[in-house]
Amino acid sequence: MKNSWIICLILAMAMIFPFTGTAQQASINDFMVKENLSQNGKLAIIATDSLEKTNNQVNGDYKFTINGFQQDLRFTDGVAVTSNPIESSTFVFFKHKSGSKEIGKLFFLRVTEKGISPYKISGFLLIVVPLLVLFIAYKLKRFLITLLIIALVYFYLNYSKGLDVKQLIESTILGLKDLI
């Protein structure tokens, strides 16, 4: 009778053990964007830690939202390459949700003959710069002219560079969450 209980206990542990022994995917706590090393117009997304060092433990498929389109990126040793090449300068918003933390970054990608240069745009600047422009316009009593210039710049960036108001607002909100 005791032997049957021991055998049942061993079988139960043998069935439970493989599920508890499986490795979990490493989470992406932060990331940065650079041009792919082969300079083929594609972007490399690099998973980093808090010190901005590459997290080589990140392997597998992770969901990212790039300009509103969800993509599964395959990370190998902390680096993933986007599938579509960048042909001209544009704004790109990258977002990744890791557990309860949501990471979003807005970049301006400048394309030249030398390659792609990503410039991160801070969410804090998306609030301070328009407020500063409005303050200057108020002080100079030229609010309508300043508003017209801002509208022209926005329409130029919107139609020729892919800037979207939704991306600006989302990047601003995520930037403010990081400050708090």
Side-chain angles (χ1 to χ4, degrees):
M1 187 68 141
K2 283 188 172 182
N3 289 338
S4 64
W5 281 104
I6 293 173
I7 292 173
C8 287
L9 183 64
I10 291 173
L11 287 175
M13 288 178 64
M15 294 186 92
I16 294 173
F17 184 70
F19 296 113
T20 59
T22 57
Q24 295 179 353
Q25 274 189 322
S27 64
I28 297 176
N29 297 326
D30 199 6
F31 63 89
M32 55 193 214
V33 176
K34 292 187 176 182
E35 183 178 15
N36 193 12
L37 290 176
S38 62
Q39 292 189 345
N40 55 0
K42 294 183 180 181
L43 296 174
I45 299 177
I46 303 166
T48 60
D49 57 10
S50 60
L51 300 175
E52 290 195 3
K53 291 186 178 184
T54 303
N55 186 355
N56 294 329
Q57 297 175 348
V58 176
N59 290 306
D61 291 337
Y62 290 85
K63 291 187 185 292
F64 272 78
T65 304
I66 302 174
N67 276 356
F69 296 103
Q70 191 170 10
Q71 291 186 0
D72 287 328
L73 297 177
R74 178 169 295 278
F75 279 82
T76 305
D77 293 331
V79 179
V81 178
T82 59
S83 57
N84 299 326
I86 304 296
E87 296 179 9
S88 64
S89 298
T90 186
F91 287 93
V92 181
F93 182 67
F94 294 92
K95 185 170 73 169
H96 174 67
K97 187 170 185 178
S98 176
S100 63
K101 185 178 180 184
E102 193 171 56
I103 306 164
K105 294 183 180 185
L106 180 65
F107 287 91
F108 178 70
L109 303 175
R110 184 171 173 247
V111 178
T112 60
E113 294 88 25
K114 294 180 181 180
I116 300 173
S117 301
Y119 298 102
K120 184 179 182 290
I121 300 172
S122 171
F124 182 69
L125 286 177
L126 292 175
I127 293 176
V128 171
V129 170
L131 289 177
L132 183 65
V133 169
L134 288 175
F135 178 75
I136 292 170
Y138 176 73
K139 286 295 182 182
L140 296 177
K141 307 286 185 204
R142 306 232 187 262
F143 180 73
L144 292 175
I145 294 172
T146 305
L147 188 62
L148 180 65
I149 291 171
I150 291 171
L152 290 173
V153 168
Y154 168 73
F155 285 119
Y156 170 73
L157 293 174
N158 185 30
Y159 289 111
S160 68
K161 302 295 182 194
L163 183 64
D164 189 18
V165 173
K166 182 180 175 186
Q167 295 169 353
L168 280 173
I169 292 170
E170 194 168 1
S171 178
T172 303
I173 290 171
L174 289 174
L176 288 174
K177 283 182 182 178
D178 288 341
L179 290 176
I180 295 175

